[in-house]
Amino acid sequence: MSSELSVLFRRRRTWALLLALAAIPILVAVAVRLSSSRSAPGEGPSFLDRITQNGLFVGIAALVVSVPLFLPMTVGVVAGDTIAGEASLGTLRYLLLRPAGRVRLLVVKYLAAGAFCLAAALTVVLAGAIVGASLFPVGPVTLLSGDTISVGESVLRSLLVAGYAGISLLGLSAIGLFISTLTEVPVGAMAATIVLSVVSQILDSLTQLGWLHPWLFSHYWLGFADLLRQPIAWGPFVSNMLLQAGYIAVFGALAYARFVTKDVLS
Amino acid sequence: MSSDAPSAEPAIETRGLTKRFGHQAAVDHIDLAVPRGAVFGFLGPNGSGKTTTIRVMLGLAAATAGRVQVLGREMPRHLADVLPRVGALVEGPAFYPFLSGAANLHRLDSADRHASSTTRGARVEEALERVGLTHAAGKKVHAYSLGMKQRLGIANALLSPRELLVLDEPTNGLDPQGTREVRNLVRSLAAGGTTVFVSSHLLAEVEQMCTHAAVMSAGRLVAQGTLDELRQVGLAHVRVRTPDVAVARRVLVRMGLEPDEPVRDERAADEQAPDERPAADQRDVLVSAPMPDGAPEPEAIVEALVAGGVRVRGFGVEHPSLEERFVALTGEGFDVAR
């Protein structure tokens, strides 16, 4: 496991992905900083403009921006690469000849992808907090419910939100893992995973398919707003956990069924 | 096979091993037996099913039919017991290009639950030294040459003491010096009691380092045994060089031999300028005939030929070379099987 993590995080590509994610809050903060003075007086601040009042909000705003596409993209790259990447390098056969054990390899690969999900969400939130703190005033935070919390607690809330966003991506990771066992072309698995994340969000936006929405893995992706109320509304948090666990179970089982019997010919 | 004498069991044994891809049988009912302690050459042209056999043997792919035993245990059921005792290089080396050579070996070794992490550093260093890569240990693998990757692949197979080494085309991409080193390495490992299973399409390589060999052709096993046995499977031939073809053939037939179609000795003819060539009935022709068991002694044949008035200008009994056997078994030419 530690070896898997070190291979993942010693890779330049992983760092490039995380840097790209860190660039999002920076872009958001800089753009807002340069343009916010132009907002007409009398109008309430727009969503993004709220960050001018408190730098700690940058991380959350950046997360809102990156959840629909950027985060799933990076997760798709990592999850799609899990098995297919090893297969295309040929290292898969040497891992299996050790023997690493097929089930063990699958579990370790999935855990590493999960670790990346959390790292990715944390990167966005932390980079946002740092950039925000350096560009905008920092002070007690007004929540969506109107209550005010201290700076310390707001940091805690930010971490909670990052955790929520990371957990939201676990279902997608499981799908990526399964697709990755189907092919020896990592790029194909990556693309398929990313496309599925987009499809899921499109389905989620079609009101005619309302019955389907609670079953889509992307349904609760933006649900972290409820963690920014006082008291915290845990409802979506729990539903999200259950939904992601369901996806992990189903696609984990599919990946297992596929990988255990697969002929490794690469 | 008695269970109280495990060392007498073959290191590898397959029975009716078959692997089909769709309708095509890549490996077709092969019965291999690799004795313990042997250096076993697995010969065959490209595409004859060697690597597929190795994949199935090591549990990377499932057999369509048949059984495999490695080190006395059924595969793939006892894969977890067997594979830690087997070092392998299968279908070329494969590494993470963004890691250094040493880091790659660390990574692959840590995938083995039984490999001790306390000795890992020392074992990696020793393996690298054995293949002469110590100076390049810290270099990223994408900067390695093909031969260096091949050496790293062999180092990977040598990370732990093994009872069986499976080396698929180990000298691919190596310079002559590297080839020599691999040969010496294989010999020293075999001297230490390790069974070595080497696949190759290079006959010379097998002839130089192996004690046993098997020959694959188009998915079938066409011969196996010790090198001497393989050489002797082909019949020795008696060869007579003479201008008196018809008489010589008659004499040979009378002695119970079956002469092959005559071959003109073009080499002899070409050495002479056209106008100096002897007339057609003066040219030397090679008359040859297989010598089955119970054939007359060579000296008796010469005597009979001379007595029959044949001008014997050359005579010999030749065993076929391993190369002739190989070509006879697998067919001539560059055509890849199927």
Side-chain angles (χ1 to χ4, degrees):
Chain A
M1 182 66 212
S2 65
S3 152
E4 181 60 38
L5 284 179
S6 93
V7 166
L8 179 64
F9 286 103
R10 259 152 96 179
R11 222 175 157 163
R12 244 182 255 155
R13 190 181 71 197
T14 310
W15 286 106
L17 290 176
L18 291 179
L19 276 178
L21 285 174
I24 292 169
I26 296 173
L27 278 177
V28 167
V30 170
V32 169
R33 173 81 200 216
L34 293 178
S35 64
S36 60
S37 57
R38 268 177 252 144
S39 71
E43 281 178 23
S46 72
F47 178 70
L48 283 180
D49 277 347
R50 291 179 68 142
I51 65 179
T52 57
Q53 293 151 16
N54 197 328
L56 292 176
F57 204 65
V58 172
I60 308 297
L63 206 54
V64 172
V65 171
S66 48
V67 155
L69 187 61
F70 293 108
L71 275 176
M73 246 165 92
T74 57
V75 169
V77 168
V78 171
D81 194 48
T82 45
I83 301 295
E86 299 278 358
S88 79
L89 281 177
T91 43
L92 181 57
R93 61 176 183 268
Y94 286 108
L95 288 174
L96 294 180
L97 285 176
R98 273 294 143 187
R102 296 194 179 206
V103 178
R104 181 162 158 259
L105 185 66
L106 215 49
V107 169
V108 166
K109 281 285 179 190
Y110 183 71
L111 290 179
F116 178 82
C117 289
L118 290 176
L122 265 179
T123 302
V124 173
V125 170
L126 287 182
I130 293 167
V131 173
S134 58
L135 287 183
F136 302 108
V138 171
V141 175
T142 308
L143 291 176
L144 297 178
S145 56
D147 303 84
T148 305
I149 55 169
S150 68
V151 172
E153 199 184 342
S154 79
V155 169
L156 216 65
R157 291 280 177 115
S158 297
L159 292 180
L160 201 58
V161 167
Y164 179 94
I167 290 169
S168 304
L169 294 165
L170 291 180
L172 180 64
S173 293
I175 295 174
L177 180 75
F178 168 60
I179 297 177
S180 196
T181 60
L182 298 178
T183 173
E184 279 153 23
V185 187
V187 177
M190 293 174 192
T193 309
I194 294 165
V195 164
L196 278 181
S197 84
V198 173
V199 167
S200 169
Q201 292 179 77
I202 291 173
L203 293 178
D204 204 17
S205 68
L206 297 176
T207 45
Q208 289 84 347
L209 294 173
W211 55 270
L212 184 65
H213 292 170
W215 301 101
L216 294 169
F217 60 86
S218 63
H219 187 61
Y220 298 99
W221 275 6
L222 288 168
F224 49 75
D226 288 323
L227 298 175
L228 300 175
R229 294 181 205 283
Q230 193 76 303
I232 295 175
W234 290 103
F237 194 89
V238 173
S239 318
N240 184 33
M241 287 268 229
L242 286 177
L243 180 69
Q244 302 300 332
Y247 270 92
I248 295 171
V250 171
F251 284 92
L254 285 174
Y256 166 83
R258 166 69 184 153
F259 190 54
V260 164
T261 55
K262 185 184 186 181
D263 281 354
V264 177
L265 299 173
S266 62
Chain B
M1 211 144 306
S2 69
S3 56
D4 48 26
S7 60
E9 287 174 345
I12 302 171
E13 188 178 32
T14 72
R15 288 212 182 280
L17 182 66
T18 302
K19 175 70 183 174
R20 274 179 217 288
F21 296 110
H23 289 298
Q24 194 176 43
V27 174
D28 197 1
H29 286 94
I30 72 167
D31 301 320
L32 264 180
V34 179
R36 293 242 183 184
V39 178
F40 194 96
F42 195 38
L43 271 167
N46 298 330
S48 57
K50 302 189 298 288
T51 299
T52 306
T53 307
I54 291 176
R55 281 178 189 287
V56 174
M57 234 159 62
L58 298 178
L60 286 175
T64 311
R67 289 174 35 212
V68 183
Q69 281 198 343
V70 177
L71 298 174
R73 313 291 309 263
E74 199 79 23
M75 288 290 276
R77 197 179 319 141
H78 297 289
L79 186 140
D81 302 330
V82 173
L83 287 187
R85 299 191 276 154
V86 179
L89 174 72
V90 181
E91 206 180 14
F95 294 102
Y96 305 91
F98 51 91
L99 293 181
S100 72
N104 262 295
L105 294 188
H106 274 272
R107 150 79 169 165
L108 289 171
D109 195 60
S110 56
D112 182 356
R113 249 171 302 185
H114 309 288
S116 146
S117 59
T118 50
T119 59
R120 185 166 297 145
R123 285 185 291 119
V124 166
E125 224 167 89
E126 197 197 322
L128 286 171
E129 200 192 318
R130 253 184 135 162
V131 297
L133 274 183
T134 309
H135 62 285
K139 223 163 137 182
K140 296 248 191 302
V141 167
H142 68 75
Y144 275 29
S145 70
L146 178 61
M148 286 164 82
K149 284 183 194 157
Q150 193 75 22
R151 285 163 189 253
L152 192 59
I154 295 171
N156 173 46
L158 298 176
L159 271 179
S160 307
R162 313 286 194 185
E163 288 172 49
L164 170 66
L165 268 185
V166 177
L167 301 174
D168 190 8
E169 310 267 356
T171 56
N172 241 2
L174 288 183
D175 45 28
Q177 198 184 355
T179 312
R180 255 178 85 97
E181 285 168 30
V182 168
R183 270 205 306 270
N184 291 336
L185 194 65
V186 166
R187 282 202 199 101
S188 76
L189 287 165
T194 310
T195 309
V196 187
F197 184 87
V198 193
S199 94
S200 180
H201 61 273
L202 298 174
L203 195 80
E205 192 174 290
V206 167
E207 210 162 5
Q208 287 186 56
M209 64 184 172
C210 294
T211 56
H212 295 66
V215 183
M216 288 282 284
S217 175
R220 290 174 170 280
L221 192 67
V222 287
Q224 82 175 312
T226 66
L227 283 198
D228 287 338
E229 280 167 6
L230 282 179
R231 283 197 195 96
Q232 282 162 12
V233 170
L235 292 174
H237 276 64
V238 52
R239 288 185 212 278
V240 186
R241 179 184 294 182
T242 175
D244 307 319
V245 185
V247 189
R249 285 172 66 87
R250 230 177 291 129
V251 172
L252 289 175
V253 170
R254 208 186 306 137
M255 299 195 75
L257 299 175
E258 293 168 19
D260 305 322
E261 283 306 301
V263 184
R264 173 167 305 152
D265 194 350
E266 294 292 348
R267 198 184 36 194
D270 286 349
E271 278 163 10
Q272 289 158 315
D275 52 338
E276 288 174 17
R277 274 186 196 164
D281 64 333
Q282 295 296 308
R283 284 186 205 156
D284 282 354
V285 171
L286 273 180
V287 178
S288 71
M291 297 256 288
D293 286 345
E297 293 300 313
E299 56 271 24
I301 299 176
V302 182
E303 211 181 315
L305 284 168
V306 172
V310 176
R311 289 169 286 173
V312 178
R313 291 178 177 165
F315 183 86
V317 177
E318 287 172 18
H319 284 279
S321 71
L322 209 54
E323 188 174 339
E324 280 170 317
R325 284 289 298 145
F326 183 62
V327 171
L329 288 167
T330 60
E332 193 116 29
F334 279 114
D335 286 341
V336 171
R338 287 159 301 176

